[in-house]
Structure formats: structure tokens, C-alpha cells
């Protein structure tokens, strides 16, 4: 029974990890091939990348975390060195988000729609950070209104606490 649960979690973590990495790739590709050609100039592009880069950083970290977690789930705590790395990410990501916001503000487009979209992109990075390092926000859509208010501890944070 324990091994069956472990294998089920490993499949789920594989799906989560690959999904986060795929999302990062898709968002970057869409930014380059669809959004950037529609922006007015280099300042608008700089604002977009200032907003998008922090989100991509968090997504890639999350994807790698889920893939690596397959190795210890239901078997052992998170390896100490990896926990140290993710504790550093927890702090560095705030700096990355802050620098991204600064870039967004410096290069914010004059067009309302572009400016609003860029701010929303940056906000998604903040939401993703909160989801992994502060409080779990990701739930199936039907359960989301009932679960999100419970402010559950994200799995990554629980793994950080259990690390040796």
C-alpha cells in the first residue's frame, strides 16, 4: 500500500514538474513570437521581460523541485543540500520579483492595455511565488473557493521543514 501511494505521488510529481517546465517554455515562446512583435518598442519589450523573467524563474525552480521530489517522496526527507538551495531561492526570488517590478515601472508602456497586461504578468510571478513558498493557492477549480482560504502550507515548504 505504501509503495502504491509512493508510485502514485511520483506520477503526480512528474506531471506537475513537466507541466511547470512546459508552461515556462510556452510563456517564453509566446512572449517572443506573439507579444513582442506587437509591442511599440524596446522599452515595452524591456518591461515585458522585467515582468516575465521572475515568473519564469519561479516556474523553472518549481518544475525542477517536483521532478527531484520524486526521488524522496514517501521515503526520506528532502536532501539537506537541496533544501539549502531552495531556502536561498525563497529569499532570492523576492529580490528577483522586486527587480522585475522596478523594470516594469521604469519601462511601463504608455498604452493602457500593454501596461495592464505587463503588470498582470508580473503579478502572476508573485502568485506563483506565494503558491510555492508561502501558502498553497493551486487547487482544482471546483474546490478552489473552499480550499484557498485554508492557507495550507505548500509541499515545498513542508519538504524544507523536514530536511535534515
Amino acid at each position: 500500500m505504501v509503495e502504491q501511494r509512493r508510485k502514485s505521488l511520483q506520477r503526480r510529481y512528474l506531471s506537475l514538474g513537466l507541466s511547470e517546465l512546459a508552461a515556462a517554455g510556452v510563456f517564453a515562446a509566446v512572449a517572443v513570437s506573439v507579444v513582442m512583435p506587437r509591442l511599440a518598442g524596446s522599452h515595452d519589450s524591456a518591461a515585458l521581460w522585467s515582468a516575465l523573467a521572475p515568473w519564469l524563474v519561479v516556474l523553472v525552480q518549481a518544475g525542477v523541485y517536483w521532478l527531484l521530489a520524486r526521488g524522496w517522496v514517501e521515503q526520506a526527507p528532502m536532501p539537506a543540500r537541496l533544501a539549502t538551495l531552495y531556502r536561498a531561492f525563497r529569499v532570492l526570488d523576492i529580490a528577483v520579483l522586486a527587480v522585475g517590478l522596478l523594470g516594469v515601472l521604469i519601462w511601463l508602456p504608455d498604452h493602457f492595455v500593454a501596461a495592464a497586461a505587463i503588470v498582470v504578468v508580473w503579478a502572476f510571478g508573485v502568485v506563483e511565488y506565494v503558491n510555492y513558498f508561502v501558502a498553497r493557492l493551486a487547487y482544482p477549480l471546483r474546490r478552489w473557493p473552499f480550499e484557498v482560504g485554508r492557507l495550507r502550507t505548500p509541499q515545498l515548504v513542508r519538504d524544507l521543514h523536514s530536511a535534515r
Side-chain angles (χ1 to χ4, degrees), residues 13-163:
Y13 286 11
L14 177 63
S15 175
L16 289 167
L18 294 177
S19 295
E20 295 291 40
L21 294 174
V26 167
F27 295 146
V30 167
V32 169
S33 63
V34 177
V35 178
M36 294 218 8
R38 289 176 168 76
L39 293 175
S42 61
H43 283 108
D44 292 4
S45 296
L48 174 63
W49 282 110
S50 294
L52 185 60
W55 188 13
L56 296 177
V57 165
V58 175
L59 283 173
V60 169
Q61 289 170 1
V64 170
Y65 158 74
W66 287 120
L67 294 176
L68 293 173
R70 295 173 64 236
W72 70 76
V73 64
E74 295 288 313
Q75 194 171 25
M78 182 182 210
R81 286 184 180 168
L82 191 58
T84 300
L85 179 63
Y86 273 85
R87 284 185 189 106
F89 286 160
R90 188 178 195 175
V91 174
L92 291 173
D93 287 351
I94 292 171
V96 169
L97 285 160
V99 168
L101 179 58
L102 182 62
V104 166
L105 295 175
I106 290 170
W107 294 302
L108 192 65
D110 293 330
H111 337 300
F112 175 76
V113 173
I118 287 170
V119 170
V120 166
V121 167
W122 180 83
F124 270 111
V126 172
V127 168
E128 202 71 41
Y129 174 84
V130 169
N131 184 55
Y132 279 102
F133 290 108
V134 180
R136 182 176 172 192
L137 301 176
Y139 294 97
L141 192 54
R142 289 178 37 201
R143 290 187 11 224
W144 191 86
F146 309 104
E147 298 290 341
V148 75
R150 294 184 181 185
L151 298 177
R152 293 192 177 156
T153 303
Q155 184 62 48
L156 173 56
V157 173
R158 289 187 294 180
D159 280 347
L160 291 174
H161 291 315
S162 73

